[in-house]
């Protein structure tokens, strides 16, 4: 009996000329011909074809929504209007600054906020941690994850609570968290592949890397509305469009927010510099988040339909010491983890 032909899902997917033109257009701000970029291009093409992507329709021509550039005083005013650290987070910081504190002390503070409690329990019970038994109490979560890690994880919960206060329609929160979680997964895996330890901090950095979008929507919803109106498939990458319109971007605002919330410096820098990487040797966390964000954006896991990729820093890539094939390994890891973790966080 003849062997059955291979299943269609196992057949290599061949892009059409229209596919190639679209993929090329999305990569137009990157350094084509570079082995890292070409590897990511091939992975992104395969990912989108397997996902059955739908090419976004061209926007109807119209008058652009204009935004007056903000001067430094406006930026200071935005900083003043940035959301304050929630009271429970402030109390948590105070507890952790004591010389002697216990896991029970930390747990009692977190338990005062039911939303934060639910967020943390969902996260520690997600496939990201993979504990064999279900964790039902914050005290157990603190004992297993550690107090310092709980503090940074709780920041994600604080931002999740902030999202409820945003005007409707400014940010698609389901897509926002999916992108954020994907960047966290990819950043942690790239960090691991680079031979470094303490990858949990990279997962948190990825989850928080776009917190500036939430801060901008909170502090200046009219500005966020105008940015959304200006964004089309023909525009620059998001952060470049933001700089053109308002002279700063969400990465800077996110770094300001986390600095104001007294978060650890590597976390602040990873958020602040995830688009424009500076001193990657000193702050490799920012380099990992930068590459992870480019990778996830290439795969179309974004809040807007298939935006163009931002320029990819080869200095950041070289600091991680990875081979181009590592992108494939990180891609496979992301594919196996993303849906399960997102589902767990929505449960």
């Amino acid at each position: 009996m003849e062997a059955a032909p291979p299943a269609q899902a196992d057949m290599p997917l061949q892009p059409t000329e229209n596919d190639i033109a679209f993929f090329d257009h999305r990569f137009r701000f990157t350094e084509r011909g570079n082995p890292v970029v070409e590897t990511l291009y091939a992975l992104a093409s395969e990912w989108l074809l397997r996902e059955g992507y739908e090419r976004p329709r061209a926007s109807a021509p119209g008058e652009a929504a204009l935004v007056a550039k903000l001067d430094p005083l406006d930026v200071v005013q935005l900083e003043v209007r940035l959301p304050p650290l929630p009271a429970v987070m402030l109390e948590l910081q105070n507890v952790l600054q004591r010389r002697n504190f216990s896991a029970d002390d930390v747990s009692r503070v977190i338990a005062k906020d039911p939303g934060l409690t639910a967020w943390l329990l969902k996260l520690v019970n997600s496939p990201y941690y993979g504990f064999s038994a279900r964790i039902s109490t914050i005290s157990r979560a603190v004992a297993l994850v550690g107090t310092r890690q709980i503090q940074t994880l709780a920041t994600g919960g604080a931002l999740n609570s902030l999202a409820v206060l945003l005007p409707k329609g400014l940010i698609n929160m389901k897509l926002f968290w999916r992108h954020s979680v994907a960047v966290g997964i990819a950043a942690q895996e790239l960090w691991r592949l680079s031979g470094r330890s303490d990858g949990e901090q990279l997962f948190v950095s990825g989850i928080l890397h776009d917190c500036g979008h939430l801060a901008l929507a909170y502090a200046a919803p009219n500005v966020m509305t105008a940015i959304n109106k200006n964004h089309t498939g023909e525009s620059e990458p998001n952060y470049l469009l933001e700089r053109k319109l308002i002279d700063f971007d969400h990465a800077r605002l996110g770094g300001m927010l986390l600095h104001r919330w007294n978060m650890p410096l590597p976390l602040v820098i990873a958020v602040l510099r995830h688009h424009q990487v500076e001193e990657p040797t000193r702050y490799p966390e920012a380099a990992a988040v930068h590459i992870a964000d480019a990778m996830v954006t290439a795969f179309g896991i974004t809040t807007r339909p298939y935006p163009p990729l931002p320029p990819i820093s080869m200095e950041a890539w070289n600091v991680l010491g990875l081979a181009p094939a590592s992108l494939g390994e990180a891609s496979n890891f992301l594919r196996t983890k993303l849906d399960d973790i997102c589902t767990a966080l929505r449960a």
Side-chain angles (χ1 to χ4, degrees):
M1 180 181 295
E2 290 188 22
Q8 187 66 33
D10 296 329
M11 297 289 287
L13 298 170
Q14 297 299 325
T16 66
E17 289 185 7
N18 286 337
D19 291 329
I20 293 172
F22 178 56
F23 300 156
D24 287 348
H25 192 63
R26 291 193 66 220
F27 273 73
R28 66 190 183 278
F29 293 98
T30 63
E31 184 186 346
R32 295 301 304 274
N34 182 291
V36 175
V37 174
E38 291 306 310
T39 299
L40 181 57
Y41 180 97
L43 289 168
S45 302
E46 188 270 343
W47 185 294
L48 292 179
L49 290 171
R50 288 198 180 279
E51 291 293 315
Y53 83 99
E54 182 177 349
R55 184 169 179 173
R57 297 177 181 177
S59 302
E63 185 176 349
L66 299 178
V67 182
K69 293 182 180 294
L70 300 182
D71 64 26
L73 290 178
D74 294 313
V75 175
V76 171
Q77 179 62 20
L78 273 181
E79 184 175 14
V80 169
R81 293 170 55 195
L82 285 176
L85 186 67
V88 68
M89 290 291 297
L90 185 59
E91 187 176 352
L92 180 60
Q93 285 187 355
N94 291 335
V95 167
L96 294 174
Q97 288 171 359
R98 299 175 190 164
R99 178 169 297 180
N100 296 309
F101 64 87
S102 67
D104 285 339
D105 294 332
V106 174
S107 303
R108 278 193 290 270
V109 172
I110 294 174
K112 295 179 180 180
D113 187 327
L116 179 57
T117 299
W119 163 270
L120 288 172
L121 289 177
K122 287 177 182 178
L123 194 53
V124 298
N125 283 296
S126 75
Y128 171 74
Y129 282 101
F131 293 129
S132 57
R134 182 163 184 81
I135 312 304
S136 58
T137 65
I138 287 295
S139 58
R140 180 63 175 156
V142 172
L144 290 172
V145 176
T147 52
R148 299 298 174 183
Q149 186 66 12
I150 282 289
Q151 180 190 14
T152 50
L153 290 175
T155 308
L159 290 170
N160 195 43
S161 300
L162 170 64
V164 178
L165 305 176
L166 302 182
K168 300 295 184 184
L170 281 184
I171 298 176
N172 183 319
M173 291 308 302
K174 180 180 179 180
L175 296 180
F176 176 86
W177 284 117
R178 183 175 176 81
H179 172 77
S180 300
V181 170
V183 173
I185 294 170
Q188 184 197 17
E189 183 64 3
L190 291 169
W191 191 257
R192 185 190 70 81
L193 291 170
S194 74
R196 293 171 168 86
S197 58
D198 299 327
E200 290 84 359
Q201 63 180 321
L202 271 297
F203 180 66
V204 176
S205 297
I207 284 182
L208 300 180
H209 81 286
D210 271 349
C211 66
H213 284 305
L214 301 182
L216 184 59
Y218 175 93
N222 59 323
V223 173
M224 177 62 83
T225 298
I227 289 172
N228 288 341
K229 289 181 178 178
N230 274 275
H231 186 276
T232 69
E234 298 302 314
S235 64
E236 303 98 328
N238 293 344
Y239 78 100
L240 294 177
L241 176 63
E242 291 164 359
R243 290 179 186 177
K244 177 181 290 186
L245 293 173
I246 59 175
D247 280 342
F248 67 99
D249 61 26
H250 66 275
R252 179 178 175 186
L253 199 58
M256 290 164 61
L257 175 65
L258 295 186
H259 177 67
R260 180 173 180 171
W261 284 8
N262 199 30
M263 290 295 104
L265 182 60
L267 178 60
V268 173
I269 297 297
V271 171
L272 179 70
R273 296 180 178 173
H274 76 268
H275 283 304
Q276 189 168 350
V277 183
E278 298 174 10
E279 300 182 281
T281 302
R282 185 178 180 186
Y283 300 107
E285 295 88 354
V289 174
H290 171 77
I291 299 299
D293 186 45
M295 187 175 103
V296 168
T297 300
F299 296 162
I301 307 171
T302 55
T303 56
R304 296 185 172 105
Y306 307 108
L309 259 71
I312 299 173
S313 168
M314 287 302 108
E315 186 179 7
W317 175 263
N318 291 335
V319 161
L320 296 176
L322 299 171
S326 298
L327 289 171
E329 296 181 58
S331 170
N332 291 335
F333 186 79
L334 175 64
R335 190 183 293 276
T336 63
K337 295 290 186 180
L338 179 59
D339 287 340
D340 287 343
I341 293 176
C342 288
T343 298
L345 291 177
R346 290 197 301 268

